[in-house]
Amino acid sequence: MDQVLSVEAEEHLVEELEQVEGARRVAAILAPEAIDSLLAEAEKAGGGAQELLAAITKAVLERALQVEMADHLGYEKGDPAGVGSPNSRNGSYPKTVVTASGPVRLQVPRDRAGSFEPRIVPKRTKRLGQVDEMILSLYARGMSTRDIRDHLAEVYGAEISPALVSNVTEVVREEIAEWQNRALDAVYPILYIDAIVVKVRESGSVVNKAAHLVIGVDTDGYKQVLGIWIEQKEGSRFWLNVLTSLRNRGLKDALVVCCDGLSGLPEAIGHVWPEAIVQTCVVHLIRTSMRYVAYADRKKIAAALRPIYTAANASAAEAALEALRGTFARSAPGVISAWERSWETFIPFLDFPLELRRVIYTTNAIESMNFQLRKISKTRGHFPDDDAAIKLLYLGIRRIEGRHIDGEGRHVPAGQLRGTGTYGWKRALNDFAIRFPGKLPV
């Protein structure tokens, strides 16, 4: 039976066909022989590939400007149809713009009426959009404004000031505010609450603050960062404000909330989402345990911990903990204490079927994100204020989520970030539906 494409599908298909046709034309114009010839001419003139790219960029932009001018006036240059026209060409003026190929000096056409407004290189624009995106990308990788300036000067020959880099990155302020206040789904089956320590200058000294990230797994199994909150001292009031803001943005219910023994958080969760299960994050608990273990004993301790969090039920887990206590009570008492403190918020995990357990404690994507965010925050050293730290973390998150490839192998378009998927999610979703009847949207 014939299938009828939706309007959106038709537009997407047409766009893809146009891109393919455009690529074919470019390939035909820039055949290997033509490129070799252009490179040979550039080398003969004492330049190289970079100079060739700059020359091509200049030619393309100037040609596009001439086409825009012809469209603005209504006739081509030299066309008799322009005789007697109320407006006409009036020479050109030089303008240097920074591009990915380096600085390019253009001749921008102008008209006698002064009404021509170029679109490809707008007035008062000294950088093309690709350069701004490059600056944001480098900044999101933890490079300082001066490092970015030096990098662009070294690689592209583009001279820009640290202040310009700061101005470019400041553009995301409104984007961050919109992201921090965006509407959320009504239900997230799993929430992960984690923290990254950042150094922030405050009252003339540098202090450690916790940048708390709330990561939600939606009903389709995609993980997304729902927001960032920075606080030096957390407690019940702080967490109540955070969770209330999430609820006000539309998050009416959470089924399982995984956290790491943060002060006041379980009480706040119980107030905002009374029926949510508060679960100590197994990965965090294992990581905390390893802080008390000498490097030579880590494999032994890891092997002894595994029977606890893979136990069939609470009784089996208690037996495994007792075995751990009997073997390592003297050599690693901190490990025993860490598990005893978290026991009441750990054992709910053991009531879940194995498939659901794997989804809850297998947080490779989250650990990977946190590792990258810690890396870029450490690279930057300390921040002048909380907003600067949030800006860098947001750009890092945007870069990490934005490069995700969905199940069909296509890059998720900018502004439509879905985060990363969850392996075995369909089976886990069925388990959630049975364990939490009526909670998931139909």
Side-chain angles (χ1 to χ4, degrees), residues 23-59:
R24 287 175 178 168
R25 291 177 181 174
V26 171
I29 296 171
L30 299 179
E33 297 79 8
I35 294 175
D36 290 343
S37 176
L38 290 171
L39 281 171
E41 292 180 11
E43 290 176 358
K44 182 184 289 186
Q50 193 67 32
E51 288 75 9
L52 174 61
L53 289 173
I56 293 175
T57 302
K58 172 181 170 69

PDB file of all heavy atoms in Angstrom, residues 23-59:
ATOM      1  N   ALA A  23      26.080  18.914  -3.088  1.00  0.00           N
ATOM      2  CA  ALA A  23      27.360  18.232  -2.915  1.00  0.00           C
ATOM      3  C   ALA A  23      27.903  17.743  -4.256  1.00  0.00           C
ATOM      4  O   ALA A  23      29.110  17.801  -4.513  1.00  0.00           O
ATOM      5  CB  ALA A  23      27.191  17.058  -1.957  1.00  0.00           C
ATOM      6  N   ARG A  24      27.014  17.273  -5.126  1.00  0.00           N
ATOM      7  CA  ARG A  24      27.453  16.808  -6.456  1.00  0.00           C
ATOM      8  C   ARG A  24      28.029  17.963  -7.276  1.00  0.00           C
ATOM      9  O   ARG A  24      29.037  17.813  -7.967  1.00  0.00           O
ATOM     10  CB  ARG A  24      26.276  16.174  -7.197  1.00  0.00           C
ATOM     11  CG  ARG A  24      25.884  14.797  -6.651  1.00  0.00           C
ATOM     12  CD  ARG A  24      24.644  14.295  -7.339  1.00  0.00           C
ATOM     13  NE  ARG A  24      24.264  12.969  -6.870  1.00  0.00           N
ATOM     14  CZ  ARG A  24      23.093  12.385  -7.127  1.00  0.00           C
ATOM     15  NH1 ARG A  24      22.196  13.025  -7.854  1.00  0.00           N
ATOM     16  NH2 ARG A  24      22.835  11.190  -6.653  1.00  0.00           N
ATOM     17  N   ARG A  25      27.371  19.119  -7.195  1.00  0.00           N
ATOM     18  CA  ARG A  25      27.859  20.274  -7.952  1.00  0.00           C
ATOM     19  C   ARG A  25      29.229  20.714  -7.452  1.00  0.00           C
ATOM     20  O   ARG A  25      30.126  21.016  -8.237  1.00  0.00           O
ATOM     21  CB  ARG A  25      26.860  21.434  -7.823  1.00  0.00           C
ATOM     22  CG  ARG A  25      25.531  21.179  -8.546  1.00  0.00           C
ATOM     23  CD  ARG A  25      24.575  22.328  -8.312  1.00  0.00           C
ATOM     24  NE  ARG A  25      23.296  22.106  -8.965  1.00  0.00           N
ATOM     25  CZ  ARG A  25      22.242  22.914  -8.824  1.00  0.00           C
ATOM     26  NH1 ARG A  25      22.344  23.985  -8.055  1.00  0.00           N
ATOM     27  NH2 ARG A  25      21.120  22.635  -9.434  1.00  0.00           N
ATOM     28  N   VAL A  26      29.376  20.768  -6.109  1.00  0.00           N
ATOM     29  CA  VAL A  26      30.668  21.153  -5.541  1.00  0.00           C
ATOM     30  C   VAL A  26      31.740  20.164  -5.953  1.00  0.00           C
ATOM     31  O   VAL A  26      32.870  20.526  -6.307  1.00  0.00           O
ATOM     32  CB  VAL A  26      30.575  21.253  -4.008  1.00  0.00           C
ATOM     33  CG1 VAL A  26      31.957  21.439  -3.394  1.00  0.00           C
ATOM     34  CG2 VAL A  26      29.667  22.404  -3.604  1.00  0.00           C
ATOM     35  N   ALA A  27      31.392  18.857  -5.917  1.00  0.00           N
ATOM     36  CA  ALA A  27      32.363  17.825  -6.306  1.00  0.00           C
ATOM     37  C   ALA A  27      32.774  17.988  -7.761  1.00  0.00           C
ATOM     38  O   ALA A  27      33.930  17.766  -8.128  1.00  0.00           O
ATOM     39  CB  ALA A  27      31.763  16.438  -6.069  1.00  0.00           C
ATOM     40  N   ALA A  28      31.812  18.375  -8.601  1.00  0.00           N
ATOM     41  CA  ALA A  28      32.125  18.545 -10.017  1.00  0.00           C
ATOM     42  C   ALA A  28      33.035  19.752 -10.237  1.00  0.00           C
ATOM     43  O   ALA A  28      33.967  19.718 -11.038  1.00  0.00           O
ATOM     44  CB  ALA A  28      30.835  18.706 -10.813  1.00  0.00           C
ATOM     45  N   ILE A  29      32.736  20.841  -9.476  1.00  0.00           N
ATOM     46  CA  ILE A  29      33.544  22.052  -9.634  1.00  0.00           C
ATOM     47  C   ILE A  29      34.939  21.853  -9.060  1.00  0.00           C
ATOM     48  O   ILE A  29      35.948  22.224  -9.666  1.00  0.00           O
ATOM     49  CB  ILE A  29      32.845  23.242  -8.934  1.00  0.00           C
ATOM     50  CG1 ILE A  29      31.519  23.538  -9.631  1.00  0.00           C
ATOM     51  CG2 ILE A  29      33.738  24.474  -8.933  1.00  0.00           C
ATOM     52  CD1 ILE A  29      30.665  24.541  -8.892  1.00  0.00           C
ATOM     53  N   LEU A  30      34.993  21.243  -7.888  1.00  0.00           N
ATOM     54  CA  LEU A  30      36.270  21.044  -7.217  1.00  0.00           C
ATOM     55  C   LEU A  30      36.769  19.624  -7.456  1.00  0.00           C
ATOM     56  O   LEU A  30      36.974  18.849  -6.520  1.00  0.00           O
ATOM     57  CB  LEU A  30      36.132  21.326  -5.720  1.00  0.00           C
ATOM     58  CG  LEU A  30      35.696  22.750  -5.350  1.00  0.00           C
ATOM     59  CD1 LEU A  30      35.578  22.882  -3.848  1.00  0.00           C
ATOM     60  CD2 LEU A  30      36.661  23.775  -5.905  1.00  0.00           C
ATOM     61  N   ALA A  31      36.925  19.267  -8.684  1.00  0.00           N
ATOM     62  CA  ALA A  31      37.473  17.956  -9.025  1.00  0.00           C
ATOM     63  C   ALA A  31      38.930  17.894  -8.580  1.00  0.00           C
ATOM     64  O   ALA A  31      39.581  18.931  -8.423  1.00  0.00           O
ATOM     65  CB  ALA A  31      37.369  17.738 -10.536  1.00  0.00           C
ATOM     66  N   PRO A  32      39.470  16.697  -8.350  1.00  0.00           N
ATOM     67  CA  PRO A  32      40.864  16.580  -7.897  1.00  0.00           C
ATOM     68  C   PRO A  32      41.843  17.337  -8.779  1.00  0.00           C
ATOM     69  O   PRO A  32      42.778  17.972  -8.281  1.00  0.00           O
ATOM     70  CB  PRO A  32      41.113  15.069  -7.942  1.00  0.00           C
ATOM     71  CG  PRO A  32      39.756  14.462  -7.730  1.00  0.00           C
ATOM     72  CD  PRO A  32      38.805  15.377  -8.408  1.00  0.00           C
ATOM     73  N   GLU A  33      41.636  17.289 -10.103  1.00  0.00           N
ATOM     74  CA  GLU A  33      42.554  17.977 -11.010  1.00  0.00           C
ATOM     75  C   GLU A  33      42.505  19.491 -10.790  1.00  0.00           C
ATOM     76  O   GLU A  33      43.539  20.179 -10.800  1.00  0.00           O
ATOM     77  CB  GLU A  33      42.211  17.654 -12.468  1.00  0.00           C
ATOM     78  CG  GLU A  33      42.357  16.184 -12.828  1.00  0.00           C
ATOM     79  CD  GLU A  33      41.173  15.336 -12.363  1.00  0.00           C
ATOM     80  OE1 GLU A  33      40.170  15.925 -11.894  1.00  0.00           O
ATOM     81  OE2 GLU A  33      41.255  14.093 -12.446  1.00  0.00           O
ATOM     82  N   ALA A  34      41.267  20.007 -10.582  1.00  0.00           N
ATOM     83  CA  ALA A  34      41.129  21.450 -10.381  1.00  0.00           C
ATOM     84  C   ALA A  34      41.785  21.881  -9.075  1.00  0.00           C
ATOM     85  O   ALA A  34      42.456  22.916  -8.991  1.00  0.00           O
ATOM     86  CB  ALA A  34      39.645  21.840 -10.393  1.00  0.00           C
ATOM     87  N   ILE A  35      41.587  21.069  -8.024  1.00  0.00           N
ATOM     88  CA  ILE A  35      42.195  21.389  -6.727  1.00  0.00           C
ATOM     89  C   ILE A  35      43.711  21.361  -6.826  1.00  0.00           C
ATOM     90  O   ILE A  35      44.408  22.247  -6.303  1.00  0.00           O
ATOM     91  CB  ILE A  35      41.706  20.397  -5.643  1.00  0.00           C
ATOM     92  CG1 ILE A  35      40.199  20.579  -5.412  1.00  0.00           C
ATOM     93  CG2 ILE A  35      42.466  20.598  -4.344  1.00  0.00           C
ATOM     94  CD1 ILE A  35      39.599  19.570  -4.467  1.00  0.00           C
ATOM     95  N   ASP A  36      44.258  20.331  -7.511  1.00  0.00           N
ATOM     96  CA  ASP A  36      45.712  20.237  -7.679  1.00  0.00           C
ATOM     97  C   ASP A  36      46.254  21.456  -8.403  1.00  0.00           C
ATOM     98  O   ASP A  36      47.317  21.993  -8.058  1.00  0.00           O
ATOM     99  CB  ASP A  36      46.065  18.972  -8.455  1.00  0.00           C
ATOM    100  CG  ASP A  36      45.810  17.713  -7.629  1.00  0.00           C
ATOM    101  OD1 ASP A  36      45.681  17.841  -6.402  1.00  0.00           O
ATOM    102  OD2 ASP A  36      45.732  16.623  -8.226  1.00  0.00           O
ATOM    103  N   SER A  37      45.509  21.917  -9.416  1.00  0.00           N
ATOM    104  CA  SER A  37      45.949  23.085 -10.175  1.00  0.00           C
ATOM    105  C   SER A  37      45.961  24.337  -9.305  1.00  0.00           C
ATOM    106  O   SER A  37      46.905  25.126  -9.335  1.00  0.00           O
ATOM    107  CB  SER A  37      45.024  23.298 -11.383  1.00  0.00           C
ATOM    108  OG  SER A  37      45.375  24.476 -12.076  1.00  0.00           O
ATOM    109  N   LEU A  38      44.893  24.503  -8.500  1.00  0.00           N
ATOM    110  CA  LEU A  38      44.818  25.665  -7.623  1.00  0.00           C
ATOM    111  C   LEU A  38      45.934  25.640  -6.571  1.00  0.00           C
ATOM    112  O   LEU A  38      46.543  26.660  -6.254  1.00  0.00           O
ATOM    113  CB  LEU A  38      43.457  25.714  -6.931  1.00  0.00           C
ATOM    114  CG  LEU A  38      42.258  26.059  -7.831  1.00  0.00           C
ATOM    115  CD1 LEU A  38      40.958  25.843  -7.070  1.00  0.00           C
ATOM    116  CD2 LEU A  38      42.354  27.489  -8.322  1.00  0.00           C
ATOM    117  N   LEU A  39      46.211  24.458  -6.018  1.00  0.00           N
ATOM    118  CA  LEU A  39      47.275  24.326  -5.027  1.00  0.00           C
ATOM    119  C   LEU A  39      48.628  24.655  -5.648  1.00  0.00           C
ATOM    120  O   LEU A  39      49.477  25.308  -5.027  1.00  0.00           O
ATOM    121  CB  LEU A  39      47.291  22.912  -4.445  1.00  0.00           C
ATOM    122  CG  LEU A  39      46.234  22.600  -3.373  1.00  0.00           C
ATOM    123  CD1 LEU A  39      46.227  21.114  -3.057  1.00  0.00           C
ATOM    124  CD2 LEU A  39      46.504  23.413  -2.111  1.00  0.00           C
ATOM    125  N   ALA A  40      48.840  24.181  -6.872  1.00  0.00           N
ATOM    126  CA  ALA A  40      50.103  24.454  -7.552  1.00  0.00           C
ATOM    127  C   ALA A  40      50.285  25.950  -7.764  1.00  0.00           C
ATOM    128  O   ALA A  40      51.378  26.500  -7.555  1.00  0.00           O
ATOM    129  CB  ALA A  40      50.142  23.716  -8.895  1.00  0.00           C
ATOM    130  N   GLU A  41      49.220  26.639  -8.166  1.00  0.00           N
ATOM    131  CA  GLU A  41      49.298  28.083  -8.357  1.00  0.00           C
ATOM    132  C   GLU A  41      49.579  28.802  -7.034  1.00  0.00           C
ATOM    133  O   GLU A  41      50.359  29.761  -6.982  1.00  0.00           O
ATOM    134  CB  GLU A  41      47.996  28.603  -8.975  1.00  0.00           C
ATOM    135  CG  GLU A  41      47.782  28.147 -10.410  1.00  0.00           C
ATOM    136  CD  GLU A  41      46.487  28.697 -10.980  1.00  0.00           C
ATOM    137  OE1 GLU A  41      45.891  29.575 -10.322  1.00  0.00           O
ATOM    138  OE2 GLU A  41      46.071  28.246 -12.067  1.00  0.00           O
ATOM    139  N   ALA A  42      48.914  28.318  -5.934  1.00  0.00           N
ATOM    140  CA  ALA A  42      49.122  28.946  -4.628  1.00  0.00           C
ATOM    141  C   ALA A  42      50.559  28.770  -4.160  1.00  0.00           C
ATOM    142  O   ALA A  42      51.181  29.698  -3.628  1.00  0.00           O
ATOM    143  CB  ALA A  42      48.156  28.355  -3.604  1.00  0.00           C
ATOM    144  N   GLU A  43      51.113  27.571  -4.363  1.00  0.00           N
ATOM    145  CA  GLU A  43      52.492  27.309  -3.947  1.00  0.00           C
ATOM    146  C   GLU A  43      53.475  28.113  -4.796  1.00  0.00           C
ATOM    147  O   GLU A  43      54.494  28.597  -4.300  1.00  0.00           O
ATOM    148  CB  GLU A  43      52.784  25.819  -4.047  1.00  0.00           C
ATOM    149  CG  GLU A  43      52.039  24.999  -2.992  1.00  0.00           C
ATOM    150  CD  GLU A  43      52.262  23.513  -3.165  1.00  0.00           C
ATOM    151  OE1 GLU A  43      52.976  23.137  -4.128  1.00  0.00           O
ATOM    152  OE2 GLU A  43      51.722  22.735  -2.361  1.00  0.00           O
ATOM    153  N   LYS A  44      53.166  28.257  -6.085  1.00  0.00           N
ATOM    154  CA  LYS A  44      54.046  29.038  -6.966  1.00  0.00           C
ATOM    155  C   LYS A  44      54.079  30.492  -6.512  1.00  0.00           C
ATOM    156  O   LYS A  44      55.109  31.174  -6.598  1.00  0.00           O
ATOM    157  CB  LYS A  44      53.560  28.960  -8.413  1.00  0.00           C
ATOM    158  CG  LYS A  44      54.461  29.723  -9.388  1.00  0.00           C
ATOM    159  CD  LYS A  44      53.895  29.711 -10.794  1.00  0.00           C
ATOM    160  CE  LYS A  44      53.997  28.321 -11.406  1.00  0.00           C
ATOM    161  NZ  LYS A  44      53.575  28.328 -12.842  1.00  0.00           N
ATOM    162  N   ALA A  45      52.928  30.967  -5.990  1.00  0.00           N
ATOM    163  CA  ALA A  45      52.857  32.360  -5.532  1.00  0.00           C
ATOM    164  C   ALA A  45      53.431  32.523  -4.124  1.00  0.00           C
ATOM    165  O   ALA A  45      53.406  33.616  -3.555  1.00  0.00           O
ATOM    166  CB  ALA A  45      51.415  32.849  -5.561  1.00  0.00           C
ATOM    167  N   GLY A  46      53.945  31.405  -3.561  1.00  0.00           N
ATOM    168  CA  GLY A  46      54.559  31.478  -2.235  1.00  0.00           C
ATOM    169  C   GLY A  46      53.600  31.205  -1.097  1.00  0.00           C
ATOM    170  O   GLY A  46      53.949  31.361   0.072  1.00  0.00           O
ATOM    171  N   GLY A  47      52.362  30.796  -1.397  1.00  0.00           N
ATOM    172  CA  GLY A  47      51.384  30.496  -0.360  1.00  0.00           C
ATOM    173  C   GLY A  47      51.207  29.006  -0.188  1.00  0.00           C
ATOM    174  O   GLY A  47      52.010  28.203  -0.648  1.00  0.00           O
ATOM    175  N   GLY A  48      50.151  28.607   0.487  1.00  0.00           N
ATOM    176  CA  GLY A  48      49.860  27.200   0.724  1.00  0.00           C
ATOM    177  C   GLY A  48      48.368  26.958   0.757  1.00  0.00           C
ATOM    178  O   GLY A  48      47.580  27.770   0.250  1.00  0.00           O
ATOM    179  N   ALA A  49      47.982  25.842   1.364  1.00  0.00           N
ATOM    180  CA  ALA A  49      46.567  25.478   1.395  1.00  0.00           C
ATOM    181  C   ALA A  49      45.741  26.512   2.145  1.00  0.00           C
ATOM    182  O   ALA A  49      44.609  26.823   1.763  1.00  0.00           O
ATOM    183  CB  ALA A  49      46.414  24.089   2.039  1.00  0.00           C
ATOM    184  N   GLN A  50      46.290  27.079   3.245  1.00  0.00           N
ATOM    185  CA  GLN A  50      45.529  28.056   4.029  1.00  0.00           C
ATOM    186  C   GLN A  50      45.239  29.304   3.205  1.00  0.00           C
ATOM    187  O   GLN A  50      44.126  29.838   3.237  1.00  0.00           O
ATOM    188  CB  GLN A  50      46.324  28.427   5.281  1.00  0.00           C
ATOM    189  CG  GLN A  50      45.514  29.185   6.336  1.00  0.00           C
ATOM    190  CD  GLN A  50      44.439  28.327   6.954  1.00  0.00           C
ATOM    191  OE1 GLN A  50      44.606  27.122   7.081  1.00  0.00           O
ATOM    192  NE2 GLN A  50      43.335  28.934   7.323  1.00  0.00           N
ATOM    193  N   GLU A  51      46.245  29.759   2.454  1.00  0.00           N
ATOM    194  CA  GLU A  51      46.044  30.938   1.606  1.00  0.00           C
ATOM    195  C   GLU A  51      45.046  30.636   0.500  1.00  0.00           C
ATOM    196  O   GLU A  51      44.237  31.491   0.120  1.00  0.00           O
ATOM    197  CB  GLU A  51      47.381  31.381   0.993  1.00  0.00           C
ATOM    198  CG  GLU A  51      48.341  32.034   1.981  1.00  0.00           C
ATOM    199  CD  GLU A  51      49.000  31.049   2.907  1.00  0.00           C
ATOM    200  OE1 GLU A  51      48.846  29.819   2.685  1.00  0.00           O
ATOM    201  OE2 GLU A  51      49.667  31.471   3.865  1.00  0.00           O
ATOM    202  N   LEU A  52      45.083  29.384   0.001  1.00  0.00           N
ATOM    203  CA  LEU A  52      44.136  28.993  -1.046  1.00  0.00           C
ATOM    204  C   LEU A  52      42.704  29.017  -0.504  1.00  0.00           C
ATOM    205  O   LEU A  52      41.792  29.537  -1.157  1.00  0.00           O
ATOM    206  CB  LEU A  52      44.484  27.590  -1.561  1.00  0.00           C
ATOM    207  CG  LEU A  52      43.489  26.977  -2.562  1.00  0.00           C
ATOM    208  CD1 LEU A  52      43.390  27.829  -3.811  1.00  0.00           C
ATOM    209  CD2 LEU A  52      43.897  25.555  -2.905  1.00  0.00           C
ATOM    210  N   LEU A  53      42.508  28.484   0.708  1.00  0.00           N
ATOM    211  CA  LEU A  53      41.169  28.486   1.302  1.00  0.00           C
ATOM    212  C   LEU A  53      40.681  29.912   1.514  1.00  0.00           C
ATOM    213  O   LEU A  53      39.498  30.210   1.288  1.00  0.00           O
ATOM    214  CB  LEU A  53      41.189  27.726   2.633  1.00  0.00           C
ATOM    215  CG  LEU A  53      41.354  26.210   2.550  1.00  0.00           C
ATOM    216  CD1 LEU A  53      41.520  25.626   3.946  1.00  0.00           C
ATOM    217  CD2 LEU A  53      40.159  25.576   1.853  1.00  0.00           C
ATOM    218  N   ALA A  54      41.580  30.782   1.974  1.00  0.00           N
ATOM    219  CA  ALA A  54      41.190  32.178   2.174  1.00  0.00           C
ATOM    220  C   ALA A  54      40.802  32.829   0.856  1.00  0.00           C
ATOM    221  O   ALA A  54      39.826  33.597   0.786  1.00  0.00           O
ATOM    222  CB  ALA A  54      42.338  32.946   2.830  1.00  0.00           C
ATOM    223  N   ALA A  55      41.544  32.517  -0.226  1.00  0.00           N
ATOM    224  CA  ALA A  55      41.236  33.090  -1.539  1.00  0.00           C
ATOM    225  C   ALA A  55      39.893  32.587  -2.047  1.00  0.00           C
ATOM    226  O   ALA A  55      39.098  33.347  -2.610  1.00  0.00           O
ATOM    227  CB  ALA A  55      42.343  32.734  -2.534  1.00  0.00           C
ATOM    228  N   ILE A  56      39.617  31.278  -1.837  1.00  0.00           N
ATOM    229  CA  ILE A  56      38.326  30.726  -2.270  1.00  0.00           C
ATOM    230  C   ILE A  56      37.190  31.352  -1.474  1.00  0.00           C
ATOM    231  O   ILE A  56      36.145  31.726  -2.019  1.00  0.00           O
ATOM    232  CB  ILE A  56      38.319  29.190  -2.112  1.00  0.00           C
ATOM    233  CG1 ILE A  56      39.308  28.560  -3.098  1.00  0.00           C
ATOM    234  CG2 ILE A  56      36.924  28.625  -2.329  1.00  0.00           C
ATOM    235  CD1 ILE A  56      39.466  27.064  -2.926  1.00  0.00           C
ATOM    236  N   THR A  57      37.395  31.487  -0.149  1.00  0.00           N
ATOM    237  CA  THR A  57      36.375  32.106   0.703  1.00  0.00           C
ATOM    238  C   THR A  57      36.090  33.520   0.251  1.00  0.00           C
ATOM    239  O   THR A  57      34.934  33.949   0.164  1.00  0.00           O
ATOM    240  CB  THR A  57      36.832  32.098   2.173  1.00  0.00           C
ATOM    241  OG1 THR A  57      37.098  30.761   2.593  1.00  0.00           O
ATOM    242  CG2 THR A  57      35.776  32.710   3.076  1.00  0.00           C
ATOM    243  N   LYS A  58      37.152  34.276  -0.050  1.00  0.00           N
ATOM    244  CA  LYS A  58      36.991  35.657  -0.520  1.00  0.00           C
ATOM    245  C   LYS A  58      36.183  35.695  -1.816  1.00  0.00           C
ATOM    246  O   LYS A  58      35.247  36.494  -1.946  1.00  0.00           O
ATOM    247  CB  LYS A  58      38.368  36.279  -0.739  1.00  0.00           C
ATOM    248  CG  LYS A  58      38.360  37.658  -1.409  1.00  0.00           C
ATOM    249  CD  LYS A  58      39.782  38.157  -1.591  1.00  0.00           C
ATOM    250  CE  LYS A  58      39.824  39.406  -2.478  1.00  0.00           C
ATOM    251  NZ  LYS A  58      39.204  40.555  -1.775  1.00  0.00           N
ATOM    252  N   ALA A  59      36.527  34.823  -2.756  1.00  0.00           N
ATOM    253  CA  ALA A  59      35.831  34.801  -4.051  1.00  0.00           C
ATOM    254  C   ALA A  59      34.359  34.457  -3.881  1.00  0.00           C
ATOM    255  O   ALA A  59      33.479  35.090  -4.488  1.00  0.00           O
ATOM    256  CB  ALA A  59      36.509  33.799  -4.986  1.00  0.00           C
TER     257      ALA A  59
END
